[in-house]
Amino acid sequence: IAKKRRIDRKCEDYFPILSLPSELIGLVFSFLPIEDRMRLRVNKKLNAIELNSKYFVEKLHIFELSNKGVSHRGFNPRHYKKTSYSSDFMRRIAMNASIGILEIELNSPKEFHYDVYNLIKNFNIGTLKFGCIIRLLLISLKKMHINCLSFSLYIEPMS
Amino acid sequence: RIYPLMRVTLTTSDGASVTVSRQLTKHSGFIEKAITDMAVDDNAVPLSAVAVDVDDATLKLVIEWLTEHRDDALPYPEKTDEERRADDIPAWDQAFVQKWDTKEDQQQTLYAVITAADKLDIKGLLDMTCKTLANKINGKTVEEMREILQLECDFTEEELAEIRKENAWCEN
């Protein structure tokens, strides 16, 4: 019965978001945290509106985690799954977001990290805080256009 | 200059008339522009009717909100590059929209008030109602969002795979 009521309600009362002008849908997007913003791209029109509306994120932290789910500096992330992601999510966010502080912490020299370094230049960033192996950062540093850079240096283990 | 005791008559899309104080209508860019365009005598009471493309039931809700916010500062603060958030809706406004939760057409009511705020150019009400919608979506899974908004997936297989790859970090 509960399921039927839910379906009946679904038919009669729902929010017709696509009937709103695109700028109002963009306004709704602007009030969502970034993860909801990404998930709300549930069809072509919303995906296009999301892409065409600029937004500002005060801080974005992207940390590489150990197997125990903590970062090099003990940071406990909001989103943690025992899985690995491609760098596509960063590429998408970089398309239309301005980031106040982008904090990235990478610990090991893998191909993924070269992707990340190359992506950083696509971001509109106020301040970049980078914890990494400095040798890898230098590869893409000259391509970055940022106002301020602070380093968190640590020593690459001897190999 | 706004004369708070002056009144203006609004005619709705379904033929009703409501007379309200200029203290309320000063928050509506649309109504204030209409009054200016009429170039009427500022001392006329009430002013000539202003037609609004909003139905009577929705206009009553708009007027209720305007009455509470009649003393809000003008102009409404311009949007800046700051990160926007939806968890700062004032308590009175929260109670105002929560009253609709008992209505069978709560989503349609929210839609009607958002579009009315847009047409009447009432920025504070528009922001508040868009935040309310954002709060209904906030934290929901993709499937729940589809259900709330009744949206079908029209992506091709390739587009869907791309979206899923981009969203792998935030899909719950």
Side-chain angles (χ1 to χ4, degrees), chain A residues 35 60-83 85 89 103 105 107, chain B residues 169-170:
Chain A
E35 56 267 38
L60 183 63
H61 304 268
I62 299 172
F63 289 164
E64 182 182 8
L65 303 176
S66 71
N67 290 335
K68 292 178 181 174
V70 294
S71 79
H72 181 76
R73 295 188 299 166
F75 176 75
N76 276 318
R78 191 163 156 191
H79 295 280
Y80 171 62
K81 296 177 193 170
K82 284 193 174 179
T83 184
Y85 311 124
F89 76 96
E103 192 165 0
E105 184 185 314
N107 301 329
Chain B
W169 67 281
C170 65

Side-chain angles (χ1 to χ4, degrees), chain B residues 10-14 30-31 50-55 59 119-120:
Chain B
L10 308 174
T11 57
T12 66
S13 58
D14 44 1
F30 173 85
I31 297 171
V50 174
V52 292
D53 185 19
V54 176
D55 65 56
L59 187 62
K119 286 173 183 172
L120 298 177

Side-chain angles (χ1 to χ4, degrees), chain B residues 6 8 29 35 50 56 69 71 77 79 93 96 142 145 148:
Chain B
M6 289 170 49
V8 57
I35 292 170
V50 174
D56 184 42
H69 289 267
D71 295 326
K79 293 181 177 67
D93 288 20
F96 175 63
V142 170
M145 287 178 180
I148 292 168

Side-chain angles (χ1 to χ4, degrees), chain B residues 31 40 64 68 72 76-77 115 135 141 148 154 161 171-172:
Chain B
I31 297 171
V40 292
E64 187 180 347
E68 174 64 22
D72 284 4
Y76 188 74
T115 50
N135 285 333
T141 65
I148 292 168
D154 59 358
E171 291 214 337
N172 42 16

Side-chain angles (χ1 to χ4, degrees), chain B residues 86-106:
Chain B
D87 59 357
D88 57 354
I89 298 176
W92 188 92
D93 288 20
Q94 287 182 41
F96 175 63
V97 295
Q98 275 168 8
K99 282 192 291 188
W100 310 339
D101 286 352
T102 55
K103 296 176 68 170
E104 286 187 359
D105 59 348
Q106 56 170 292

